[in-house]
Amino acid sequence: MPLTLGSAFMKNFLGKAPDWYKLTIIAFLIINPIVFAINPFVAGWLLVVEFIFTLAMALKCYPLQPGGLLAIEAVAIGMTSPEMVKHELVGNIEVLLLLIFMVAGIYFMKDLLLVIFTKILLSIRSKAVLSAAFCLAAAFLSAFLDALTVIAVVISVAVGFYSIYHKVVSGKGHTSAHDHTQDDHLSELTRDDLDHYRGFLRSLLMHAGVGTALGGVMTMVGEPQNLIIAEQAGWTFGEFFVRMLPVTFPVLICGVLTCLAVEKLKVFGYGDELPDPVRKILVDFDNDQKQRRTKQDIAKLWVQAAIGVWLIVGLALHLAAVGLIGLSVIILATAFTGIIEEHSLGKAFEEALPFTALLTVFFTIVAVIIDQELFAPVIDAVLAIEDQGTQLVLFYLANGVLSMVSDNVFVGTVYITEVKTALVEGVINRDQFDLLSVAINTGTNLPSVATPNGQAAFLFLLTSAVAPLVRLSYVRMVVMAFPYTIVLALVGLFGIVFLLEPMTQLFYEWHWITHHTGDVAEAVSTAGHH
């Protein structure tokens, strides 16, 4: 029976997405204007929930299209304005530049990254130790580099690993000299091997993702909101690190222990080992690459290594905006490795640009949150509490809960601005402001690992090309993040309640003694006394 024009429109709408999903999005678009006319505040929260739904269904339909339709409607009916959306984009231009250029820059360094991480993967047989190594490496890098840059590296490596396997099982493996070896591996590979290999890569990706949160919370350059908080508080790099330490150090230790525990206990989707047939494929690939590597290939690896050093130094010393350093990586990596065709450059941007567009839609939702003052009741209620200890706990928890459903950069910015206003108006003193700043920073960074909404690195991972390959859905990501969420949130809360004030007081005394007397020995003696 031929399609009617109406059926053709419905079939084209959101393409191959299930019919129930299409009808759900249409229902959202119909309901939103009605609810907004009745109660704008409720409509704002409804929009946030709807957008989260589109993220949760990312494997059914990329969130850009349904989320974008919701965002366009929100602007059209007056929930926010184009000017406010532009203001949010301008305020986050460095994040957008990072995605456009840095992720593409990492693409041109994938040969070196694949060599390095293949060596690590094949040399560490213990899955628990390997997972901890990925987690700690991501944490260390994220303390100095942007978390999105780090997760882009990990995604590139995971795609490389999966591609090696895929080429072999699809009959497109390496040299003919190894054809008989490939045939042996193909006969050994089963559906269970594929599932375990996906689980193996999936768990490494999640450990690295959590690692970016563990390291990102510790320094003023680890996350965008950290820099905003440090600027408002007037803290230097070293002072920021020391002030966060009472909370971040116990969290780091417990985070790594959690990594080891979930792998050993094989719970929450962790514990998959690298199947032996797949390991043989990777070993053969590594050996074959060594044999086939020409002088020109070796020269490319040396160039990429030198650019890697420039990348780390440039980002650690903040010699330029992250995106601009990424652009320099693209130029250097292509110029010195012979990549000069336009179509060869275009491939590098395929991964990041859809996510850049999605993040722009996300900032539109953030603009709605601002214009409709969705967080205002929470902020007002917390500031109304007079007990300083209770204030600290509530700020930490409120930031954590809100960061689970919204962008942690936005939540951190809103809260630190309100707290700075309270300081200027004399509502709180400077000591309380410093403590609240720590609570805001740790609150936005730690519990937010619960969902991809709170951490841009998690959202990038969820919507990346590797997610469908390893079957990493929104729900699965939430489940795998759950043990980390509980441990990080509770240990962070312990640090806020029991360690922050006494350690901060110790910092004040150390700073006063060394600043006024220059007597470090006396400062050490005082620290030992405490």
Side-chain angles (χ1 to χ4, degrees):
M1 184 177 177
L3 282 175
T4 64
L5 188 59
S7 299
F9 274 118
M10 190 62 185
K11 196 171 184 65
N12 287 338
F13 178 68
L14 297 183
K16 296 180 180 179
D19 289 342
W20 65 265
Y21 182 85
K22 297 179 181 182
L23 293 173
T24 301
I25 298 301
I26 291 172
F28 289 163
L29 295 171
I30 294 172
I31 292 171
N32 287 344
I34 299 172
V35 177
F36 183 66
I38 299 171
N39 190 321
F41 184 82
V42 173
W45 274 111
L46 181 62
L47 180 71
V48 172
V49 173
E50 291 167 355
F51 186 71
I52 292 172
F53 170 80
T54 66
L55 297 177
M57 296 291 109
L59 296 184
K60 299 291 184 185
C61 176
Y62 191 72
L64 174 63
Q65 289 79 18
L69 290 173
L70 294 171
I72 291 171
E73 183 185 63
V75 175
I77 65 179
M79 297 181 78
T80 187
S81 65
E83 290 74 22
M84 178 56 77
V85 176
K86 180 182 177 182
H87 174 77
E88 284 300 304
L89 294 178
V90 171
N92 290 279
I93 187 63
E94 288 200 23
V95 177
L96 298 176
L97 287 176
L98 180 150
L99 282 170
I100 295 170
F101 294 125
M102 183 60 79
V103 175
I106 296 301
Y107 175 88
F108 292 111
M109 297 181 63
K110 63 182 181 182
D111 292 338
L112 176 66
L113 295 171
L114 193 57
V115 168
I116 293 172
F117 279 90
T118 300
K119 297 295 184 187
I120 295 173
L121 187 145
L122 296 178
S123 61
I124 302 177
R125 298 298 293 247
S126 169
K127 173 66 184 307
V129 175
L130 180 64
S131 299
F134 264 71
C135 185
L136 283 171
F140 176 77
L141 291 173
S142 294
F144 301 97
L145 313 181
D146 187 275
L148 281 171
T149 304
V150 176
I151 208 68
V153 170
V154 177
I155 289 171
S156 179
V157 169
V159 171
F161 283 150
Y162 193 88
S163 297
I164 294 169
Y165 161 85
H166 180 70
K167 284 179 182 177
V168 172
V169 297
S170 63
K172 299 176 183 177
H174 27 277
T175 62
S176 57
H178 291 276
D179 283 349
H180 65 283
T181 312
Q182 288 181 36
D183 291 339
D184 292 341
H185 296 338
L186 283 170
S187 63
E188 294 177 31
L189 288 170
T190 65
R191 172 60 58 178
D192 285 343
D193 287 329
L194 176 58
D195 290 339
H196 285 304
Y197 187 43
R198 282 173 171 157
F200 174 83
L201 292 177
R202 192 166 56 231
S203 58
L204 290 182
L205 285 166
M206 285 301 296
H207 291 313
V210 172
T212 64
L214 293 172
V217 68
M218 300 187 80
T219 67
M220 63 184 284
V221 298
E223 292 282 352
Q225 72 270 19
N226 299 19
L227 191 57
I228 295 169
I229 291 168
E231 288 176 352
Q232 292 284 359
W235 294 341
T236 62
F237 186 95
E239 184 175 355
F240 185 97
F241 176 79
V242 171
R243 287 187 179 277
M244 298 297 157
L245 214 53
V247 181
T248 57
F249 184 71
V251 165
L252 176 64
I253 299 300
C254 293
V256 175
L257 291 176
T258 302
C259 173
L260 294 171
V262 294
E263 286 294 342
K264 288 291 187 182
L265 298 175
K266 300 186 177 182
V267 291
F268 296 102
Y270 295 100
D272 283 301
E273 300 283 347
L274 179 63
D276 286 335
V278 180
R279 178 180 289 277
K280 291 176 184 176
I281 288 174
L282 296 178
V283 170
D284 282 352
F285 173 83
D286 186 43
N287 292 333
D288 184 72
Q289 289 298 103
K290 287 179 186 175
Q291 294 174 9
R292 299 178 61 185
R293 199 168 286 142
T294 65
K295 294 292 184 181
Q296 200 169 358
D297 294 327
I298 294 172
K300 288 180 180 180
L301 292 177
W302 277 107
V303 166
Q304 291 177 19
I307 294 170
V309 173
W310 150 244
L311 176 65
I312 293 173
V313 172
L315 290 172
L317 300 179
H318 308 289
L319 300 180
V322 178
L324 296 181
I325 293 176
L327 179 57
S328 74
V329 169
I330 295 173
I331 295 170
L332 293 170
T334 55
F336 287 96
T337 58
I339 301 172
I340 56 174
E341 296 83 8
E342 183 180 2
H343 69 272
S344 299
L345 292 172
K347 294 177 182 178
F349 294 89
E350 290 177 1
E351 176 74 17
L353 285 183
F355 183 73
T356 306
L358 175 61
L359 200 63
T360 302
V361 170
F362 183 75
F363 287 135
T364 305
I365 306 300
V366 171
V368 172
I369 292 174
I370 295 172
D371 280 344
Q372 301 305 318
E373 299 182 335
L374 301 187
F375 292 171
V378 179
I379 295 172
D380 293 340
V382 174
L383 283 176
I385 302 295
E386 293 185 1
D387 181 69
Q388 292 186 351
T390 305
Q391 247 189 16
L392 280 177
V393 172
L394 290 178
F395 260 84
Y396 174 81
L397 294 176
N399 275 269
V401 172
L402 293 176
S403 292
M404 292 179 188
V405 299
S406 181
D407 176 40
N408 54 9
V409 178
F410 163 70
V411 176
T413 302
V414 170
Y415 266 83
I416 195 64
T417 302
E418 293 292 332
V419 170
K420 187 63 177 287
T421 301
L423 173 65
V424 172
E425 294 177 353
V427 177
I428 59 175
N429 59 32
R430 177 68 204 200
D431 289 351
Q432 184 66 0
F433 171 82
D434 289 336
L435 295 174
L436 288 175
S437 297
V438 176
I440 292 169
N441 185 67
T442 53
T444 55
N445 278 289
L446 298 176
S448 60
V449 301
T451 71
N453 307 73
Q455 293 274 351
F458 274 38
L459 186 61
F460 185 39
L461 176 57
L462 176 68
T463 57
S464 68
V466 78
L469 296 180
V470 299
R471 302 298 187 266
L472 183 60
S473 65
Y474 187 102
V475 174
R476 178 169 269 166
M477 184 177 278
V478 170
V479 171
M480 295 182 77
F482 181 75
Y484 281 112
T485 304
I486 298 301
V487 171
L488 268 58
L490 291 180
V491 175
L493 182 61
F494 174 85
I496 291 290
V497 174
F498 297 105
L499 302 178
L500 181 58
E501 288 195 68
M503 293 299 290
T504 300
Q505 185 60 38
L506 184 60
F507 169 77
Y508 282 146
E509 292 185 12
W510 174 288
H511 185 266
W512 189 93
I513 294 171
T514 55
H515 181 71
H516 287 82
T517 68
D519 191 346
V520 177
E522 186 177 347
V524 172
S525 175
T526 304
H529 174 72
H530 280 275

